[in-house]
């Protein structure tokens, strides 16, 4: 019996009488977060991860089920630049309604809620920190919240303005007026400028000047809406104007923008001029995260295995494609390239591809020769045909001219205008062996007996599954340090430049010119604008403007933006706020430049023509405001839609 | 252990001596009645007895109950016994027995715990010229049978077999006939003739009346079950030979649905459920444990399935039913060693080959010309290209299928076990090894498993036994570094116009851009690396069983179990170069998997379980049988893991510690937050029956779990069931016309169970750290500050403190019957499970301006209903004994309530409101014939898009369901012409393709035949009411820039490949598939196929060598067999195996057909 008793006693001792109140280890509480700077950094990391930065991973085609509404997408080959005429790719056709599909909403309010929780909670823990620390973090949270409202208002106009932590049962809210939102954003950014320190706690985080730089962007946007927008819509229930701002507000907003830009200028920032070669310098500025780069105010950075993008996989010229396949999706249009100086031009300013004396095609030793005098900023932004990248010449060729050249080569039939609507742009009579596809391309036997594929290794081909479709590739942001095997899906980590001083200068110049045009006498705006633009043109390697007389047309500063900020997902919003998108992109088919090899003399001719895929781009007036997600309208009966 | 109960146990049942004697008389067997109790349970070794003038028979019963000693005697013999007066306290058993029997008119002997009582004088009346016969008696498995009566027919001359099953008997002469009888076995008569050695094999009578089954926390006689419980024995499991125990259950248990998804070595990819109810709880030897699929089938004693309220004793884990696996124990008085070996050859089942270069180029050209906007576009492949690949041409087509796969792959299995015991200690020990090779030519895929088990039970004190069960399973799974779906996908994608190797470079793998990565390289671990995963399962139990003295029938039990699953995996993604030929004859090199990375992950998941129980089993007045259980249980489970990635510079080094990191690529640790949970539960069970006629079971469990909010931690799950055995009623028993009825029972059960597996601490506020809902590709779980990745906190859903498990209420009506001694039997069940409190979010009603995720709430409900029928037939015709068991089950689930916003219009409501609708309705398009010629197209009354401008002969017509004259075909349901076309759609789309549920109807037919030394077992198994849809490679030729499966060659195409496809004069050749470039809508009846099938799942032929032959080699029994798995299939599914998973129809590892040869040897 004793034995039995002992044995059972041992078993009973094994019983610990489990406690059932077990907190999971991976769920932490406020105290864990707010008591240490590391905890606050982890909180900030979440806020920033939701920040609506339109980076490499921003897509216009987000499906409604994805909470981030266009942000943090994998499939970003349809970026904003595809809808402005900056670039085209073979998979984006005739879709001008880019802004209708992101449905960015719920994740904006997620960031707004979480920033507000932070603002409400941090003061309870302020005894752990200096006042400066607390202010800096409060300013940072307010900056992030304002940035997010900016992302909403530029899409939708007035949205519900929620400034406290919302409860699920008190959420059927009407929209505030558009102006209320702009004012809120401007005020919050102004507060943030006052609270934030001059230098960021970590690279990638906000500081005083970043907040000011964003305010210069916001003020310019709001001012432009006030000045150029003609759309008005009021909520009948509240009487608030949910779309549009009165014209009278324009000066106030432009001034906010101008003054914010002055604030940035008082800081340590300047244009990047680290490398003597101006093209290389312009290219490098997007990669240099060192302290030497005084131009970039705000990078968004990536880290392998943790947060990555795949830009190179899609942008890389086909001849350098990585193991995952894909290539040549980012093709700058000839329209955009033609904005730059230094290209052969006719007296009327149009692109010149023929010899003026003969009217026949001009010959170039390589396609790159066509661009030998081009503005360095263009060559820093675009890989022209024949350009050297990663020690290789970008091999782009639409075909081989096999005909007789004794009388020169006359412009091909079907050339400008009108344009055919067929996939092979060259008739048989043109004497061109046109490239078909990468794998089954016909080879041409050259006079010296050697063989040459009709198309280049990176295009262009009539089958639209490989190669460039315009003759160009994007160089800006494309990482030249990656070997072919590093060009991997989810393998790219070069940073995104969200805000740089060049934009602030352009904001300042534009705001100045608008203020000048509106008759504001606060400063010598035109001279200031001239200084800004010439600073940029000097760095770009472009010719400087001589005097303020050159600034009589607002398009001078606008085109400077297009050139300077191309491919940075900014121009889309510019042409929207200028309210010029519907005119600019009205039934547009963009132009391409086809280099054609001439078999007889081994030289190239350059043929300008419309994109043979014939994708027609259109932007309708009713796309200036994006549609409020229908699912949200369904859940909130007080939310009126954006039809107008 | 319960298996030993296959003879009548007085302790458990209402048996009484006279009735059994009567029964035995009726059978015509004259003398011996055996009351045998061979329970391995232990008893007091001291007897207390106070009787006066008592009948010997009653005293023996008392002794038997107190001591566990068993008595063998004829009831006639005992009639002559003298009454006994005795008064002893704590006397030794043997002394008491001797005291009782000493002056009786018969003799006795005690062997172990068996007391045999024999007539006294007969022993001395031996025949004058006797023949001495010796021999042994075994069961059909060759295990010796002790205690078998051996009797000379027509006399009282007899003996019983010893512990080794041996006997020796002197008979009168050569004309004597020996009768071998044993309860639970079929009696056999053998004429002595010239033999002096007679070895006999007795066949077990499968007798539903005595069969015991394992139920929740106990065992019960099958006839006294009141719930829906199915069970099979280990022997029935092993009739199917497969690497996974789950696949060995297919078709054998009514209501258990098993679908095999892959035969990849070590993948163990199965879908299985009970009655369509979701993932069931698996309890191995009384403890919930993982790894049923990895168990050695030779270790399994039995498997029971609790399908209704009988599962309620498992409370909050039991909503989807419970599977109880019991492993083997040793038997007292035996000792044997068994070796089982099995070698098999696997063949791919239903995988498709791909086109060669000529056919590939033909299809590419056709697809190019299939372009209404440019019908004369130049062909991509010229006649010169074709000439290159023609016989004698300069180029060789690559057969990627055969370059990567082999047709057969071996597998083998060994098991060595030792079992036996004495009256104090019993043991079962086994060692097993299984190895399986995969279908990659490179040998990259294989699996090895070692398993050990020791089940030992020892009587450590009077009335107290200690059990120790130790099981250890260690396996290794090797794979290529990339998933099989990638390799299979690339085999289908790699164009046959490219060689696996670039140019003459031999070992230089070729690169071909957008046409997929080189499948040969990726299936070769020497090139691309490998993946290896080790899993170790440790499952241990220590238990004490105590027969409480002074209260006969009361047992106390304490049990402690420790289990752990260790997973240790390594993924070596080796960088290697691929080469692409350039026109100038040089190669450009593209590195793959750059840089080399090594990923290691380690995790362990210990669980403990502690149990105390009191069990009281008693029969009162020989008619009231009760069995009461009270049990307390508490468990803990933990999980911890750690993993890291390292990028190494030297690609040939496959160790985590090799070299430094490449560039900024640091190892990324993950894991490190141990999880922990605990449970406390109380279980109560009462069984009562009156004469085994009216039976009632009441049970319940109070479950407490740390996974719930403190206010909601406990739940109570009661169940009740009752049965009525009509066959025990006199109006049946006494009616001659109904004498064929052996058993007829109706039963009903109702109970409550729960399920909390979906709960994820949604009642707790705070933050996840690290954040949970991100990944590197989209929004990350952090942000980069100063170039360093900072892990973020994750915002949790708004807490719902009321969240709790969902509740299931299960109702079951059943009938069990057996007629004509097994000639016909059936079990029929109707069941209905209603679930309430299923989790859902009210995301459709709360505006997004909330800025937070909504918690789940217990809001939805559904109903699963179905029928099950099992039919049995047993018979012996001459020397052929055979059994047929067929089962069929049907189950389907209907949504009752699914929370949703009010539909905007009635059409939306019809399409999307799934309330009160089966959960598997498949919306799609009905086929309406094909366009046979251009005339058909021009005369079409329905616009299939673009005014049918792009339509070609052979294209698919769809039913214009809404009659509006246009058809909008889309890959997702919701287009205006979509309507229900099939069932088993499981509500999700994978890659735009609808995936399917398991079949609604499952059936199996098992046939076992025994003739002399030959045995045969065949299992036909199948499913009906199941639909699948092809996708990707199986739906579209040239998918993803790739090659096409061979069957796409049977397509519509112009007779002249250079023709304008859209010219009405073009002559078309008809085919099964449309012109390359047109595929049917994925959700149309062209693509949705009825995946009903019947297959010969198992066929096994066995031969047992004659015992007198094998005995000379010291072998008791030797059986050899040939066996096959998935031998042939009858199905309407074209091209693929019907069990192949629908969600990933083409490029997944296939199923296999297997041919095995094996042997069982018993020493």
């Amino acid at each position: 019996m004793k034995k039995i008793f002992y044995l059972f006693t041992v078993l009973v001792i094994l019983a610990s009488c489990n406690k059932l109140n077990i907190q999971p280890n991976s769920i932490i509480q406020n105290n864990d977060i707010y008591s240490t700077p590391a905890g606050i950094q982890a909180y900030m990391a979440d806020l920033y991860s939701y920040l609506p930065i339109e980076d490499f991973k921003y897509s216009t085609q987000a499906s409604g089920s994805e909470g981030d509404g266009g942000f943090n997408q994998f499939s970003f080959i349809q970026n904003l630049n595809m809808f402005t005429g900056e670039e085209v790719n073979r998979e984006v056709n005739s879709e001008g309604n880019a802004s209708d599909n992101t449905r960015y909403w719920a994740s904006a309010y997620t960031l707004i809620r979480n920033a507000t929780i932070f603002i409400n909670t941090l003061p309870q823990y302020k005894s752990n920190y200096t006042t400066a620390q607390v202010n800096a973090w409060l300013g940072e949270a307010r900056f992030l919240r304002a940035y997010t409202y900016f992302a909403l208002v530029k899409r939708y106009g007035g949205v519900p303005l929620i400034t406290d932590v919302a409860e699920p049962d008190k959420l059927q809210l009407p929209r505030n007026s558009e102006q209320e939102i702009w004012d809120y954003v401007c005020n919050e950014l102004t507060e943030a400028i006052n609270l934030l320190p001059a230098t960021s706690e970590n690279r990638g985080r906000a500081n005083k000047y970043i907040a000011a730089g964003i305010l210069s962007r916001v003020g310019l946007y709001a001012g432009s809406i006030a000045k150029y927008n003609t759309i008005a819509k009021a909520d009948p229930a509240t009487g608030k104007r949910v779309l549009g701002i009165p014209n009278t507000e324009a000066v106030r907003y432009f001034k906010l923008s101008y003054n914010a830009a002055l604030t940035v200028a008082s800081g340590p920032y300047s244009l990047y001029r680290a490398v003597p070669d101006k093209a290389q310098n312009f290219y490098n500025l997007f990669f240099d995260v060192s302290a030497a780069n005084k131009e970039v105010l705000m990078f968004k950075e990536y880290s392998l295995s943790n947060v990555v993008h795949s830009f190179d996989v899609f942008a890389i010229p086909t001849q350098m494609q990585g193991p995952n396949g894909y290539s040549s999706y980012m093709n700058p249009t000839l329209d955009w390239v033609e904005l730059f100086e230094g290209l052969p031009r006719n007296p009327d300013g149009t692109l010149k591809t023929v010899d003026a004396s003969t009217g026949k095609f001009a010959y170039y030793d390589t396609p790159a020769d066509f661009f030998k005098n081009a503005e360095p900023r263009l060559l820093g932004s675009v890989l022209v045909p024949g350009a050297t990248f990663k020690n290789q010449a970008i091999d782009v060729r639409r075909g081989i001219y096999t005909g007789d050249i004794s009388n020169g080569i006359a412009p091909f039939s079907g050339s400008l205008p009108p344009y055919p609507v067929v996939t092979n742009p060259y008739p048989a009579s043109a004497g061109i062996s046109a490239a078909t596809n990468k794998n089954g391309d016909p080879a041409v036997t050259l006079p010296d007996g050697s063989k040459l594929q009709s198309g280049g290794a990176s295009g262009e081909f009539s089958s639209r599954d490989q190669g460039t479709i315009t003759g160009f590739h994007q160089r800006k942001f494309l990482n030249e340090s990656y070997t072919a095997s590093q060009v991997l899906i989810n393998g790219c980590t070069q940073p995104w430049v969200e805000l740089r001083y060049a934009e602030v200068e352009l904001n300042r110049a534009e705001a100045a010119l608008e203020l000048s045009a509106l008759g504001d006498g606060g400063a010598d705006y035109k001279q200031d604008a001239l200084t800004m633009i010439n600073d940029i043109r000097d760095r770009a390697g472009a010719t400087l403007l001589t005097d303020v007389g050159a600034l009589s047309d607002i398009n001078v500063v606008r085109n400077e933006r297009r050139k300077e900020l191309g491919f940075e997902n900014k121009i889309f919003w510019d042409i929207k706020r200028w309210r010029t998108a519907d005119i600019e992109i009205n039934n547009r088919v963009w132009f391409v430049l086809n280099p054609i090899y001439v078999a007889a003399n081994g030289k190239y001719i350059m043929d300008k023509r419309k994109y043979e895929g014939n994708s027609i781009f259109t932007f309708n007036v009713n796309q200036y405001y994006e549609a409020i997600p229908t699912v949200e309208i369904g859940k909130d009966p007080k939310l009126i839609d954006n039809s107008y | 252990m319960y298996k030993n109960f296959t003879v009548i146990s007085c302790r458990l049942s209402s048996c009484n001596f006279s009735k059994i004697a009567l029964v035995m008389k009726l059978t015509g067997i004259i003398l011996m009645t055996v009351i045998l109790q061979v329970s391995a349970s232990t008893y007091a070794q001291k007897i207390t007895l106070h009787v006066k003038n008592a009948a010997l028979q009653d005293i023996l019963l008392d002794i038997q109950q107190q001591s566990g000693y068993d008595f063998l005697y004829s009831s006639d013999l005992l009639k002559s016994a003298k009454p006994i007066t005795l008064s002893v306290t704590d006397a030794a058993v043997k002394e008491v027995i001797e005291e009782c029997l000493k002056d009786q008119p018969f003799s006795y002997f005690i062997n172990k715990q068996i007391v045999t009582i024999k007539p006294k004088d007969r022993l001395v009346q031996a025949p004058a010229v006797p023949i001495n016969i010796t021999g042994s008696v075994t069961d059909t498995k060759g295990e010796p049978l002790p205690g078998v009566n051996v009797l000379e027919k027509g006399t009282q001359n007899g003996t019983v077999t010893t512990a080794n099953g041996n006997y020796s008997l002197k008979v009168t002469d050569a004309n004597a006939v020996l009768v071998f009888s044993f309860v639970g076995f079929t009696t056999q008569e053998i004429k002595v003739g010239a033999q002096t050695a007679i070895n006999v094999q007795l066949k077990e009578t499968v007798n539903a009346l005595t069969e015991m089954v394992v139920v929740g926390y106990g065992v019960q006689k099958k006839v006294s079950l009141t719930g829906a419980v199915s069970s099979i024995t280990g022997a029935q499991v092993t009739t199917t030979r497969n690497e996974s125990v789950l696949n060995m259950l297919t078709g054998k248990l009514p209501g258990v649905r098993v679908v095999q998804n892959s035969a990849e070595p070590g993948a163990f990819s199965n879908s299985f459920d009970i009655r369509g109810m979701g993932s069931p709880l698996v309890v191995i030897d009384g403890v919930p444990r993982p790894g049923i699929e990895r168990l050695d089938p030779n270790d399994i004693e039995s498997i029971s399935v609790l399908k209704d309220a009988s599962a309620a004793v498992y409370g909050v884990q039991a909503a989807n039913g419970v599977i109880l696996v019991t492993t083997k124990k040793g038997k007292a008085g035996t000792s044997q060693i068994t070796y089982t070996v099995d070698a098999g050859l696997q063949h791919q089942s239903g995988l498709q080959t791909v086109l060669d270069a000529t056919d590939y180029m033909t299809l590419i050209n056709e697809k190019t010309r299939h372009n209404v906007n440019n019908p004369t576009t130049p062909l991509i492949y010229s006649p010169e290209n074709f000439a290159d690949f023609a016989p004698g041409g300069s180029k060789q087509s690559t057969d990627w299928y055969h370059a990567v796969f082999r047709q057969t792959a071996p597998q083998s299995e060994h098991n060595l076990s030792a079992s036996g015991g004495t009256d104090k200690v019993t043991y079962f020990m086994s060692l097993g090894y299984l190895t399986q090779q995969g279908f990659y030519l490179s040998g990259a895929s294989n699996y090895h498993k070692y398993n050990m088990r020791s089940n030992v039970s020892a009587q450590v004190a009077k009335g107290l036994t200690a059990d120790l069960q130790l099981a250890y399973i260690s396996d290794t799974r090797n794979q290529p570094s990339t998933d099989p779906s990638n390799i299979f996908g690339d085999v289908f994608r790699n164009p046959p116009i490219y060689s696996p190797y670039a140019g003459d470079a031999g070992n230089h793998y070729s690169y071909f851009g957008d046409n997929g990565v080189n499948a040969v390289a990726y299936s070769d671990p020497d090139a691309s690396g490998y993946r290896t995963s080790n899993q170790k399962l440790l499952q241990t139990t220590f238990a004490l069983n105590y027969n409480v003295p002074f209260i006969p029938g009361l047992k106390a039990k304490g049990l402690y179990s420790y289990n752990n699953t260790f997973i240790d995996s390594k993924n070596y993604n080796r960088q290697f170069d691929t080469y692409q030929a350039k026109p100038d004859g040089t190669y450009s090199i593209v590195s793959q998997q750059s840089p080399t990375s090594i990923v290691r992950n380690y995790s362990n998941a210990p669980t403990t379980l502690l149990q105390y129980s009191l069990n009281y089993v008693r029969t009162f007045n020989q008619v009231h049988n009760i069995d009461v259980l009270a049990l307390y249980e508490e468990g803990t489970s933990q999980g911890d893991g750690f993993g890291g990635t390292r990028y190494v510079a030297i690609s040939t080094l496959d160790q985590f510690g090799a070299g430094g990191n490449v560039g900024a690529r640091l190892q990324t640790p993950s894991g490190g937050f141990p999880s922990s949970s605990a449970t406390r539960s109380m279980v109560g069970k009462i069984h009562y029956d009156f004469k085994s006629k009216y039976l009632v079971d009441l049970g319940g469990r109070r479950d407490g779990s740390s996974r719930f909010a403190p206010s909601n931690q406990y739940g109570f799950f009661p169940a009740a069931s009752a049965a009525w055995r009509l066959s025990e009623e006199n109006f049946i028993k006494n009616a001659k016309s109904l004498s064929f009825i052996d058993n007829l029972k109706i039963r009903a059960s109702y109970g409550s169970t729960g399920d909390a597996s979906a709960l994820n601490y949604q009642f707790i506020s705070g933050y996840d750290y690290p954040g949970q809902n991100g990944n590197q590709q989209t929004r990350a779980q952090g942000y980069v500050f100063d170039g360093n990745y900072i892990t973020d906190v994750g915002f949790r859903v708004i807490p719902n403190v009321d969240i709790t498990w969902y509740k299931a209420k299960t109702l079951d009506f059943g009938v069990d019957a057996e007629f004509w001694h097994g000639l016909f039997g059936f079990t029929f069940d109707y069941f209905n499970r209603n679930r309430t409190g299923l989790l859902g979010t009210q995301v459709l009603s709360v505006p997004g301006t909330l800025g937070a995720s909504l918690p789940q709430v217990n809001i939805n409900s559904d109903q699963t209903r179905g029928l099950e029928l099992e039919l049995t037939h047993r018979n012996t015709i001459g020397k052929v004994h055979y059994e047929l068991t067929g089962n069929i089950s049907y189950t389907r689930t209907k949504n009752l309530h699914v929370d949703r916003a009010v539909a905007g219009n009635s059409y939306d409501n019809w399409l999307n409101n799934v309330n009160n609708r089966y959960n598997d309705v498949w919306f799609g398009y009905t086929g309406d014939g094909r366009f046979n010629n251009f005339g058909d197209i021009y005369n079409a009354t329905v616009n299939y898009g673009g005014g049918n401008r792009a339509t070609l002969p052979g294209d698919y017509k769809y039913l214009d369901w809404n009659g509006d004259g246009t058809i909008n075909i889309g890959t997702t349901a919701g287009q205006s012409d979509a309507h229900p076309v099939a069932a088993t759609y499981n509500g999700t789309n994978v890659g735009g393709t609808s995936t399917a549920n398991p079949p609604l109807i499952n059936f199996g037919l098992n046939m076992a035949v025994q003739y002399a030394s030959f045995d045969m077992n065949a299992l036909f198994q199948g499913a009906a009411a199941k639909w699948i849809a092809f996708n990707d490679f199986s739906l579209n030729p040239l998918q993803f820039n790739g090659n096409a499966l061979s069957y796409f060659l049977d397509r519509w195409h112009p007779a002249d490949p250079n023709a304008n496809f859209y010219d009405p004069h073009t002559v078309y050749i008809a085919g099964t598939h449309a012109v390359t470039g047109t595929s049917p809508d994925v959700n149309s009846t062209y693509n949705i196929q009825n995946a009903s099938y019947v297959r010969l799942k198992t066929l096994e032929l066995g031969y047992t060598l004659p015992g007198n032959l094998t005995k000379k080699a010291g072998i008791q029994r030797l059986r050899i067999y040939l066996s096959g798995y998935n031998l042939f299939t009858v199905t309407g599914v074209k091209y693929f195996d019907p069990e192949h998973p629908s969600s990933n129809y083409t490029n997944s590892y296939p199923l296999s057909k297997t041919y095995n040869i094996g042997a069982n040897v018993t020493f």
Side-chain angles (χ1 to χ4, degrees), chain B residues 111-146:
Chain B
N111 184 356
K112 308 278 187 254
Q113 291 199 344
I114 300 170
V115 182
T116 311
I117 301 170
K118 311 176 189 178
K120 216 173 219 169
D121 14 359
R122 288 290 174 190
L123 287 177
V124 293
Q125 289 175 1
V129 192
I131 306 170
N132 200 18
I133 310 284
T134 57
S136 69
V137 182
T138 57
D139 66 10
T140 47
K141 282 176 235 142
E143 292 184 19
L145 288 174

Side-chain angles (χ1 to χ4, degrees), chain B residues 689-877:
Chain B
D689 71 66
F690 178 74
K691 286 183 169 175
S692 286
K693 193 194 296 180
Y694 310 109
L695 310 105
V696 178
D697 276 280
L698 296 172
R701 182 183 182 110
R702 184 160 192 267
D703 243 341
S705 168
S706 64
R707 292 169 66 90
F708 315 132
S711 56
N712 277 333
Q713 262 164 359
Y714 281 93
F716 181 61
F717 301 95
S721 53
W724 176 28
R725 285 181 67 205
L726 285 79
S727 52
E728 297 300 297
E729 295 287 358
N730 287 336
F731 62 81
I732 289 183
K733 272 182 154 175
N734 297 340
K736 277 223 167 107
S737 58
L738 297 176
S739 64
F740 65 90
I741 299 178
D742 302 321
N743 183 31
L744 180 61
K745 178 170 69 175
I746 57 173
R747 54 186 161 77
S749 71
Y750 187 68
S752 159
T753 51
D755 190 290
S757 55
L759 293 185
N760 192 20
Y761 293 108
Q762 294 185 54
F763 58 91
I764 295 180
S765 59
Y767 304 87
D768 287 323
Y769 187 76
Q772 301 290 314
N773 302 313
N775 64 61
Q776 59 160 7
Q777 182 169 296
T778 58
R779 192 189 71 82
Q781 287 172 197
Y783 199 79
V784 180
F785 292 143
D786 284 338
N788 298 317
Y789 179 72
I790 305 298
T791 301
D792 67 1
V793 297
F795 290 88
R796 298 181 54 75
V797 296
I798 292 175
N800 171 9
V801 292
D802 297 324
I803 197 163
T804 182
W805 52 87
Y806 69 71
K807 281 208 172 64
K809 295 215 163 65
T810 311
L811 175 73
D812 189 291
F813 290 113
V815 181
D816 300 325
E818 178 152 302
F819 307 133
W820 297 290
H821 301 290
L823 273 183
F824 177 64
F826 73 86
T827 294
F828 172 80
D829 275 280
Y830 161 82
F831 61 88
N832 179 359
R833 178 187 69 161
N834 281 4
R835 297 193 298 177
T836 53
L838 296 175
L839 297 174
T841 50
Q842 290 171 302
V843 69
L844 293 172
S845 53
V846 178
T849 42
L850 174 63
S853 304
L854 291 169
Q856 291 176 308
V857 288
N858 298 98
I859 191 168
N860 295 331
S861 58
D862 71 3
Q863 179 180 55
T864 303
R865 286 191 293 185
L867 303 170
E868 277 163 29
L869 179 65
E870 183 173 41
L871 300 173
T872 55
H873 171 59
R874 286 194 303 274
N875 200 7
T876 305
I877 299 170

Side-chain angles (χ1 to χ4, degrees), chain B residues 451-465:
Chain B
N451 55 274
M452 270 183 268
R453 177 175 298 276
S454 167
N455 292 347
V456 177
S457 181
Q459 186 178 319
V460 293
K462 188 176 141 192
L464 180 73
T465 47

Side-chain angles (χ1 to χ4, degrees), chain A residues 11 21 25 49 203 304 632, chain B residues 612 665 674 713 779 786 848:
Chain A
L11 263 185
N21 294 337
N25 289 316
S49 75
R203 188 172 74 230
L304 265 186
E632 295 299 337
Chain B
Y612 301 104
R665 301 191 162 203
Q713 262 164 359
R779 192 189 71 82
D786 284 338

Side-chain angles (χ1 to χ4, degrees), chain B residues 283-299:
Chain B
V283 175
I284 300 175
D285 284 329
V287 180
R289 286 164 167 158
I292 180 176
E293 71 286 347
R294 285 173 162 80
L295 287 181
D296 191 321
N298 298 299
D299 288 358

